[in-house]
Amino acid sequence: MLLVVDSLVKRFGGLVATDNVTLAVPAGQIHAIIGPNGAGKTTLLSQLAGELRSDAGTIHFDGEDITALPAHIRAARGLARSFQINSVFKDFTALENVALAIQVHEGHCFRFWGQVAKDAALQSAALGFLAQVNLEERANIIAANLAYGERRALEVAIALASRPKLLLLDEPTSGMGANESAEIVTLLAKLKRTLTILLIEHDMNAVFALADRITVLVYGRTVAAGSPEEIRANTDVRRAYLGEDEDF
Amino acid sequence: MNINIFFLLEQLLNGVQFGVMLFLISAGLTLVFGIMNLINLAHGVLYMLGAYICASVIQASGSFLVGVAAAIVGSLAAGIVIELVTFRPLYRRTHLDQVLVTFGLTLFFNELVRIIWGPTALYAAVPAALSGQIDILPGAPYPTYRLVIIGTGILAAVFLYALVSYTRIGMLIRAGASNRVMVEALGVNIKLLYTFIFGLGAALAALAGALAGPILAIESGMGNGMLILALVVIVIGGIGSIRGAFIASILVGTVDTLGRTMLRPLFATFLSQATADQAGPAIASMLIYLLMAFILFFRPQGLFPPRIR
Amino acid sequence: MQSRTVVAAVIFTALALVPSVATALNQSFYIDVGIRILIFAIAALSLDLILGYGGMVSFGHAAFLGIGAYAVGILAYFGVHNGLAQFVAAIVVSTLAALFIGAVSVRTTGVYFIMTTLAFGQMLYFLAVSMSKFGGDDGMNISSTSDFGGWLDLHNPIVLYYTCFCFLLGFAVFSDRLVGSRFGMVLRAIHMNEQRAVAIGVGSFRYKLTAFVISGAMCGVSGALLANQALFVSPAIMHWTRSGEILIMVILGGIGTLFGPIIGAVVYLLLESTLSRITEHWEIILGPFLIIVVLFAHRGMLGWIAERRRAPTK
Amino acid sequence: MNGKLLAALSALCLMSSTSYGADTVKIGLITTLSGPGGVMGRNHRDGANLALEQLGGKIGNLKGEIIYADDEQKPDVGRQAAEQMVKQDKVDFVTGVIFSNVLLALYRPVIDSGAIMVGASGGPHEVAGEMCSPNFFSASWQNDQAPEAMGKYMTDQKIQSVFLMAPNFAAGRDMLAGFKRYYKGKIVAELYTNLNQPDYQAELSQIRFAKPKAVFVFYPGGLGIQFIKQYAQAGLQKDFPLYSVYTQNETTLPAIGAAANGNFETGFWSPDLKNPANVAFVKAFRAKYGYMPADYAASSYDAVNLIDSAVKAVNGDLSDKKGMIAAIKQAKIHSVRGDLKFNNNHFPIENFYLFKIVKAADGSYIRKEESVVLANHGDSYASKCPMK
């Protein structure tokens, strides 16, 4: 198991945002987390990434207990995340965004003289990641000037560029048109062989197309977990959540 | 030096008097900062204007009370004009922009005062009725005027407390300090509320200036030093909190006063006199900044942070 | 050539010509003015590095100016005039001070960072006031300029001018390289979006602290140079209003442009010296000028050259 | 093209800096015109102006011009002002300077430039001793002298114990050192306050608890107004008589008035001195400026007259520094203080008087001459000055 989450709890005052969540993700799989709004999905992701401290429970990653580690150390160990709301470095070009992630992953950031812009190896590696998300044409555009869908794609490229063992994706297709969504789904399917992914997603077509395993969260609690087929068949899930969903 | 309990009490009183002055200045600063999210370095200007206006009016009218009233009205007017002209566009700018614009205002007003009233310092007289001393304890006379300052400051604190706790405006102020969006959502005329709060702060600073006039030299730039201390006070007290500002003011006032008078003899008890003469005043002058760093280290939001930001 | 390179070339060529022009006009006083401008340009440049690229509004930067100046002054007081020793001391002490101040203040953000740096600045100011051995409030005279064994006579204004010029040029080139380097990219990334930077594995504290220390050390050097120009140092050098002036220079020139603050220093000090000759009430002009620049010329006077840094070459 | 630019630039600069012929004597007057020290600076300026006016606008038959600068009571500002004066304005003489710390800061650049300086107020011991220079004269006093007189007087009066207070800067420390040199009683405490401290209440509380027989202070100008008003407000006046130097004088008496009635000061001059030069000076000064001159106006007036005597002696040859220095050393003026001689260190040898603050016929308070405490008194540092 690459990621083992055991009885994780997060409270905000009286509100329990994640309530004894337990899950395990083996290497090489895509694990989706679904649930209605306010189910605690993003909170869980922030706990895994280390931005939020957990009140109880443990997180093991790659065999190590990372529950107490700060976010940037977890990232350095191979846990990358994307954000639901576009969160790129908006004054950098697309290329610079990706190059930054690469150099941070390489760990050579206390260099004060050599120019990133003239670092051919770095530039071509960054272009490679941009190509994966079909952005190589837009490499020199300032991120703030990219189209919305392009920025979502860039978000994924940044996450990929830190060569993570586990990718935490927070609704990678949110706000995208059907065509753009499809592109992302294709990309993730392509990555599936090489990468482990924990995916939060609203688009059920995407989830069922990609996921090896699905966990359903409602009000912070796990109401069901299993293969896509099992979830599809689960009556609890139908009643609690999926029943109303037209896509289903 | 001969230290006894009466001496300590008198120094505590001196500290409280200084603290009360700081409170009058900090109260407005912390409200403006907490509610409008605006750092106002020009707040010291209002203190200075209060002192100048009061001294001039005393000279013209011969009445201390008229002078104080004129100072409050005058600074209030100046404060409202400043708010309308320069602050309205500033509320949504960064703290850095606010720091610079209000620093510019400070330069402008300090110089304006020099042009109007001349470069040399002015002096106001203590009103005759208050120029004596009162025995606070048998055989321990204390200047009446300073007792009046303490009384006025405490009255102002009680007034503010009542205003904030029991009135509709107070409710809006409290709500504004913790959650601005909510107040705006309530459909309150937020601009009017801002102007009111700013005016209130200006009036209190002017009151402090008017009261300081008969003790201190009234000069251009007299607000600068007080401003920095007031900033320290509101950061220690928790930005936006009147209660925090009051407690922090008294704390800063007494720590500074006791540090100045007690540290040297205290050090002399375990260090050589020469070392104590050196180290005492040195530590004393840094004491409140050390206090602030210390408090911020343990409570990064100050002693009484507003609950939600 | 990019326009910012052109601007930089123009600035430095103009600055390089000052001594010749002043000498031609028989107004050697302007060399002194020029030296002060260069020194404050270094201080402003150092502040822009953390302000413009790291988002750290230090309101106590004059403390490093003072540390550098006092390092020279105190060593001279004890008879150590060796320039190397003095400058090394200035750099080492300001580095250590920046390390300490930074370690505490860099953890805070926003207004708390402003206030914490201000508090440390005030502490050092009062420390200087109470050092009666070194003049306390009165300040101390420095008996002679730093001694560089005869090959650099800082007592000669023209030599001092070009020494300051070389330091400024060196620091400007270094800073320019730095913001485009791997370190600089990380620093700017933290400034733009700290949460995102952390998520890709950046421990922001050490980068911000490193930048703060580099900036403090640079400012310390400008302090050592200032001690050589004035041959006098007093606590006033680290008063909070001095920190405010350095901030003003950065804003006037344009935040995050590196060359802007140099122009900011030129403009501010020239305004000061010319306006103060015209009227003693020159601050009544400076105040509104500052307000107008901040409110209406948001990117500073040189904002227009702050075109996107380094659009990568095709 | 470069040449054209240069020519245009130089034309511009020539226009902005007014050019003078060699027939103008330029005197730079650096003093404190703003803040609490401003009342003293005003005396400096008006005293110098009156002297120049009485000389018909001429310094030694050449046109005289006084250039002013405000040092804001800050050493660094004073130093910068002095550098600008000697380098840009190229003044021949520098005078003024209220505060000793400002003088210490600007002393070197002025002396090194070759200008002749005639100080009109603060006289720090460094300048009277090791740092003395042929180019520097003091038309006023060395700091220790007046407090020495007070120390002697209080010893003679058998005042057994005294509490000392002064601001913590060069002159403050000199003043208390001078006092202690001549005072033989018990020093209860020696307290230095921060120079920029506005409120002395905490220190005044200390005086009450220390129970001295008397208090001796030095708080010049505006600081003195603050101090004495607060002293009176605290009710200390009746239990602890106040003695002072450069504190209760014509700069502060209008503001403190009755609070100082009956107190004592020592000093080299007061408007009450009866010598003819002084009577005429005080009369002219009051007529012109409408207020009573203080020590600073007197020394500033003398300083300009000394400069005039120097330029006269060399017949307007301003390059003859040696001649001018020798002429000033002669002190051939009718000083408003009466007899004036210069010591080997170019500081004055003069009388120090005891003054009592009394109410004059017109209702104002003045310093009335009581007696001479130290006659023809030189300072204690002259022997440390290598000049003969």
Side-chain angles (χ1 to χ4, degrees):
Chain A
M1 287 291 143
L2 184 63
L3 178 74
V4 179
V5 177
D6 187 22
S7 315
L8 211 58
V9 178
K10 179 71 199 176
R11 296 186 199 91
F12 293 111
L15 180 81
V16 185
T18 48
D19 189 357
N20 275 301
V21 174
T22 297
L23 54 86
V25 184
Q29 284 202 352
I30 293 188
H31 190 125
I33 294 179
I34 60 173
N37 283 333
K41 300 179 302 263
T42 299
T43 303
L44 176 64
L45 205 70
S46 301
Q47 281 173 282
L48 297 180
E51 284 152 20
L52 285 176
R53 279 284 141 98
S54 302
D55 295 313
T58 56
I59 308 166
H60 282 78
F61 177 63
D62 211 5
E64 259 185 281
D65 185 352
I66 59 163
T67 318
L69 293 182
H72 71 275
I73 305 274
R74 297 189 197 190
R77 299 255 169 108
L79 233 166
R81 73 165 296 184
S82 75
F83 290 83
Q84 185 180 351
I85 297 161
N86 268 332
S87 182
V88 295
F89 302 104
K90 60 181 174 45
D91 293 342
F92 283 167
T93 62
L95 191 75
E96 286 171 327
N97 266 282
V98 176
L100 180 80
I102 298 172
Q103 69 162 69
V104 170
H105 173 70
E106 287 174 354
H108 303 302
C109 293
F110 281 92
R111 290 190 187 163
F112 302 97
W113 192 254
Q115 296 294 288
V116 168
K118 303 223 171 80
D119 187 333
L122 192 58
Q123 302 283 313
S124 68
L127 272 176
F129 284 105
L130 286 177
Q132 283 195 32
V133 297
N134 294 327
L135 275 181
E136 72 269 43
E137 296 289 308
R138 311 282 283 161
N140 291 327
I141 307 291
I142 301 288
N145 300 337
L146 289 173
Y148 179 82
E150 290 174 332
R151 263 181 284 157
R152 296 286 322 147
L154 178 59
E155 182 91 16
V156 174
I158 294 171
L160 289 177
S162 42
R163 294 180 212 271
K165 291 178 190 148
L166 174 65
L167 192 54
L168 306 170
L169 294 178
D170 196 350
E171 303 198 15
T173 66
S174 80
M176 280 184 157
N179 287 345
E180 291 169 321
S181 286
E183 273 181 33
I184 293 280
V185 171
T186 318
L187 167 69
L188 294 181
K190 209 164 57 182
L191 292 172
K192 196 168 167 179
R193 280 162 278 134
T194 52
L195 208 59
T196 313
I197 297 173
L198 188 75
L199 174 74
I200 293 178
E201 189 50 75
H202 265 303
D203 180 347
M204 289 305 143
N205 292 329
V207 169
F208 285 103
L210 289 168
D212 297 297
R213 234 182 127 69
I214 297 175
T215 297
V216 185
L217 283 189
V218 177
Y219 296 121
R221 240 173 229 285
T222 312
V223 296
S227 67
E229 292 69 31
E230 287 166 350
I231 296 297
R232 217 188 284 264
N234 189 317
T235 48
D236 280 350
V237 177
R238 275 177 178 282
R239 206 177 317 117
Y241 170 50
L242 297 171
E244 297 92 48
D245 201 302
E246 292 163 29
D247 289 338
F248 195 60
Chain B
M1 184 134 323
N2 158 16
I3 297 176
N4 62 34
I5 191 75
F6 291 113
F7 180 67
L8 196 68
L9 278 177
E10 184 165 334
Q11 292 299 4
L12 267 177
L13 207 56
N14 290 335
V16 169
Q17 184 252 309
F18 183 36
V20 154
M21 294 291 273
L22 283 176
F23 171 69
L24 289 176
I25 300 171
S26 324
L29 200 61
T30 201
L31 284 179
V32 168
F33 206 154
I35 296 166
M36 312 173 198
N37 199 22
L38 177 100
I39 309 184
N40 178 17
L41 294 192
H43 200 68
V45 160
L46 300 163
Y47 166 78
M48 172 180 74
L49 281 180
Y52 267 103
I53 295 172
C54 183
S56 308
V57 173
I58 289 178
Q59 212 159 40
S61 71
S63 161
F64 181 70
L65 283 179
V66 174
V68 172
I72 292 176
V73 173
S75 286
L76 188 78
I80 288 175
V81 170
I82 293 175
E83 203 268 343
L84 293 179
V85 174
T86 49
F87 287 3
R88 287 267 164 105
L90 260 190
Y91 289 130
R92 301 202 177 274
R93 303 293 281 269
T94 63
H95 284 314
L96 177 61
D97 287 356
Q98 296 170 355
V99 162
L100 288 158
V101 167
T102 53
F103 188 71
L105 276 176
T106 308
L107 294 180
F108 174 79
F109 276 100
N110 281 344
E111 212 52 60
L112 187 68
V113 157
R114 283 166 58 124
I115 291 173
I116 297 177
W117 280 283
T120 51
L122 297 188
Y123 299 90
V126 175
L130 305 176
S131 62
Q133 301 86 38
I134 293 177
D135 280 3
I136 41 172
L137 287 165
Y142 197 77
T144 313
Y145 185 73
R146 288 181 190 255
L147 290 173
V148 170
I149 292 182
I150 296 176
T152 314
I154 290 174
L155 270 182
V158 170
F159 164 76
L160 275 179
Y161 178 77
L163 181 83
V164 170
S165 305
Y166 299 113
T167 64
R168 183 179 145 73
I169 283 191
M171 186 206 77
L172 293 175
I173 291 175
R174 270 179 296 149
S178 52
N179 191 339
R180 194 159 355 143
V181 185
M182 189 184 91
V183 177
E184 276 176 280
L186 287 175
V188 172
N189 184 339
I190 203 92
K191 284 188 173 170
L192 204 64
L193 179 68
Y194 281 10
T195 310
F196 172 79
I197 292 166
F198 194 81
L200 182 67
L204 289 171
L207 177 64
L211 290 176
I215 303 181
L216 311 179
I218 302 163
E219 52 176 322
S220 165
M222 67 186 287
N224 290 0
M226 289 301 263
L227 172 83
I228 295 294
L229 291 178
L231 284 172
V232 170
V233 163
I234 68 168
V235 169
I236 290 180
I239 290 169
S241 164
I242 288 282
R243 184 170 53 146
F246 186 75
I247 290 171
S249 297
I250 303 296
L251 190 66
V252 167
T254 45
V255 163
D256 185 60
T257 305
L258 292 183
R260 244 164 62 200
T261 50
M262 311 299 256
L263 225 43
R264 197 163 72 133
L266 188 71
F267 281 6
T269 57
F270 57 90
L271 295 170
S272 74
Q273 187 65 46
T275 320
D277 286 350
Q278 283 290 311
I283 305 284
S285 56
M286 291 190 279
L287 206 54
I288 53 169
Y289 299 102
L290 289 169
L291 177 77
M292 172 172 141
F294 181 78
I295 287 177
L296 281 188
F297 190 80
F298 289 102
R299 302 192 62 132
Q301 302 267 300
L303 294 176
F304 298 94
R307 249 168 246 113
I308 320 157
R309 288 242 53 163
Chain C
M1 258 202 297
Q2 290 182 16
S3 64
R4 73 180 260 113
T5 320
V6 177
V7 171
V10 170
I11 296 172
F12 279 100
T13 315
L15 287 174
L17 289 176
V18 167
S20 338
V21 175
T23 313
L25 296 175
N26 195 21
Q27 280 290 356
S28 62
F29 180 70
Y30 291 124
I31 299 180
D32 281 14
V33 175
I35 295 171
R36 281 183 73 81
I37 287 175
L38 292 174
I39 290 169
F40 278 98
I42 295 174
L45 176 72
S46 78
L47 180 58
D48 191 33
L49 202 56
I50 56 168
L51 174 59
Y53 298 92
M56 292 177 263
V57 184
S58 168
F59 207 179
H61 227 53
F64 301 112
L65 204 63
I67 289 171
Y70 269 101
V72 172
I74 290 174
L75 282 181
Y77 176 88
F78 288 115
V80 180
H81 295 284
N82 183 300
L84 208 60
Q86 287 180 343
F87 275 71
V88 167
I91 292 170
V92 168
V93 179
S94 48
T95 301
L96 289 176
L99 200 59
F100 180 75
I101 296 174
V104 178
S105 55
V106 159
R107 288 180 194 281
T108 64
T109 52
V111 69
Y112 289 95
F113 182 82
I114 301 181
M115 290 306 300
T116 319
T117 47
L118 174 70
F120 278 110
Q122 288 292 94
M123 274 187 231
L124 285 167
Y125 170 80
F126 283 115
L127 181 68
V129 166
S130 53
M131 292 192 304
S132 54
K133 187 171 182 126
F134 308 116
D137 232 349
D138 300 347
M140 67 194 293
N141 282 292
I142 299 169
S143 53
S144 72
T145 51
S146 301
D147 177 10
F148 284 94
W151 56 273
L152 203 62
D153 174 22
L154 295 187
H155 197 67
N156 178 340
I158 294 184
V159 175
L160 181 58
Y161 185 93
Y162 283 110
T163 307
C164 296
F165 179 83
C166 290
F167 269 113
L168 177 62
L169 186 61
F171 284 144
V173 170
F174 171 72
S175 303
D176 187 51
R177 299 288 301 192
L178 185 135
V179 298
S181 73
R182 292 190 169 215
F183 177 82
M185 294 300 277
V186 174
L187 184 65
R188 289 156 66 195
I190 294 168
H191 176 29
M192 259 179 254
N193 190 342
E194 183 155 357
Q195 189 190 24
R196 192 71 184 91
V198 170
I200 60 171
V202 173
S204 58
F205 175 71
R206 46 196 190 127
Y207 292 97
K208 283 163 103 174
L209 181 60
T210 306
F212 192 82
V213 169
I214 291 173
S215 170
M218 259 193 218
C219 198
V221 172
S222 71
L225 291 169
L226 190 60
N228 274 289
Q229 187 264 340
L231 288 178
F232 176 77
V233 53
S234 73
I237 194 177
M238 10 190 177
H239 197 250
W240 68 272
T241 49
R242 179 71 76 196
S243 297
E245 284 176 353
I246 303 175
L247 260 180
I248 291 176
M249 292 173 197
V250 177
I251 308 303
L252 278 185
I255 297 182
T257 59
L258 290 185
F259 299 111
I262 298 174
I263 302 221
V266 173
V267 170
Y268 183 85
L269 291 172
L270 280 186
L271 267 181
E272 181 180 16
S273 68
T274 47
L275 284 181
S276 65
R277 297 290 281 183
I278 298 166
T279 164
E280 57 175 310
H281 301 298
W282 68 282
E283 288 189 344
I284 207 157
I285 303 169
L286 179 73
F289 178 68
L290 182 65
I291 295 173
I292 288 166
V293 168
V294 174
L295 285 185
F296 301 108
H298 192 49
R299 300 279 290 161
M301 300 175 37
L302 272 226
W304 54 272
I305 60 150
E307 25 130 75
R308 298 277 165 236
R309 288 270 320 152
R310 207 170 308 281
T313 40
K314 314 282 150 354
Chain D
M1 180 221 133
N2 238 341
K4 246 188 197 165
L5 192 73
L6 212 72
L9 267 176
S10 45
L12 205 75
C13 289
L14 281 178
M15 280 195 301
S16 62
S17 65
T18 328
S19 57
Y20 295 93
D23 52 354
T24 304
V25 180
K26 284 199 266 187
I27 303 173
L29 178 77
I30 301 169
T31 190
T32 305
L33 291 170
S34 47
V39 283
M40 300 183 280
R42 195 169 59 154
N43 268 274
H44 261 167
R45 190 188 57 200
D46 292 344
N49 273 339
L50 181 66
L52 184 61
E53 187 187 282
Q54 290 182 352
L55 292 165
K58 297 211 179 279
I59 297 288
N61 299 328
L62 298 176
K63 185 170 174 294
E65 192 201 359
I66 302 179
I67 300 167
Y68 303 95
D70 180 9
D71 62 34
E72 301 168 28
Q73 202 179 317
K74 293 173 189 156
D76 56 320
V77 177
R79 183 169 178 123
Q80 242 182 298
E83 292 199 343
Q84 192 160 3
M85 274 190 178
V86 296
K87 287 185 179 164
Q88 192 175 10
D89 301 317
K90 304 193 167 77
V91 296
D92 308 291
F93 297 91
V94 174
T95 182
V97 189
I98 297 282
F99 284 87
S100 294
N101 51 351
V102 179
L103 177 61
L104 284 170
L106 59 76
Y107 181 76
R108 279 259 75 91
V110 170
I111 298 304
D112 290 350
S113 78
I116 296 174
M117 176 155 188
V118 185
S121 172
H125 72 267
E126 293 90 338
V127 173
E130 299 92 347
M131 278 169 70
C132 70
S133 156
N135 284 36
F136 182 90
F137 287 87
S138 167
S140 45
W141 58 79
Q142 195 280 319
N143 289 337
D144 297 44
Q145 287 173 302
E148 282 169 355
M150 188 55 94
K152 178 169 190 304
Y153 171 74
M154 289 175 76
T155 306
D156 293 347
Q157 293 298 305
K158 307 206 167 29
I159 294 168
Q160 283 147 7
S161 65
V162 62
F163 192 109
L164 307 183
M165 263 181 83
N168 193 6
F169 79 113
R173 293 187 292 270
D174 280 355
M175 297 287 170
L176 298 195
F179 181 85
K180 288 191 290 183
R181 192 171 293 123
Y182 276 68
Y183 179 69
K184 304 298 174 216
K186 180 168 178 259
I187 309 280
V188 177
E190 185 179 354
L191 205 59
Y192 290 103
T193 52
N194 194 320
L195 183 56
N196 301 312
Q197 182 175 323
D199 195 351
Y200 303 104
Q201 178 62 25
E203 287 77 14
L204 296 179
S205 295
Q206 289 180 328
I207 293 180
R208 189 195 310 287
F209 282 86
K211 297 192 170 48
K213 293 283 182 229
V215 176
F216 170 76
V217 301
F218 161 66
Y219 280 98
L223 301 179
I225 301 178
Q226 276 157 263
F227 181 85
I228 291 164
K229 280 170 67 178
Q230 293 173 15
Y231 196 80
Q233 282 169 31
L236 296 175
Q237 191 79 51
K238 57 183 186 297
D239 299 328
F240 311 104
L242 187 66
Y243 299 81
S244 68
V245 287
Y246 308 111
T247 303
Q248 309 178 79
N249 58 25
E250 293 68 29
T251 58
T252 57
L253 286 173
I256 54 184
N261 197 12
N263 287 352
F264 291 99
E265 267 253 343
T266 49
F268 84 111
W269 181 90
S270 106
D272 191 44
L273 293 187
K274 300 290 193 296
N275 70 69
N278 194 43
V279 172
F281 163 70
V282 172
K283 188 162 172 251
F285 191 96
R286 292 195 68 181
K288 178 140 201 245
Y289 301 108
Y291 67 97
M292 188 71 93
D295 312 39
Y296 318 98
S299 52
S300 187
Y301 180 84
D302 274 3
V304 171
N305 279 312
L306 283 167
I307 291 170
D308 173 65
S309 74
V311 179
K312 277 204 181 92
V314 296
N315 292 320
D317 177 10
L318 294 172
S319 62
D320 184 5
K321 305 270 183 205
K322 274 201 172 137
M324 294 195 286
I325 289 168
I328 297 176
K329 182 93 195 276
Q330 303 284 316
K332 282 198 175 145
I333 60 165
H334 298 292
S335 168
V336 293
R337 78 198 78 193
D339 289 338
L340 168 65
K341 275 203 310 250
F342 280 111
N343 216 335
N344 66 313
N345 60 355
H346 292 182
F347 272 76
I349 298 175
E350 57 199 354
N351 288 346
F352 282 86
Y353 302 87
L354 179 73
F355 302 120
K356 185 177 187 181
I357 287 85
V358 297
K359 196 171 189 171
D362 62 354
S364 64
Y365 288 86
I366 60 158
R367 286 183 298 167
K368 189 170 152 298
E369 179 191 341
E370 291 280 298
S371 59
V372 175
V373 185
L374 293 169
N376 292 322
H377 181 53
D379 64 84
S380 313
Y381 301 96
S383 58
K384 291 191 179 156
C385 170
M387 290 192 301
K388 290 291 166 241

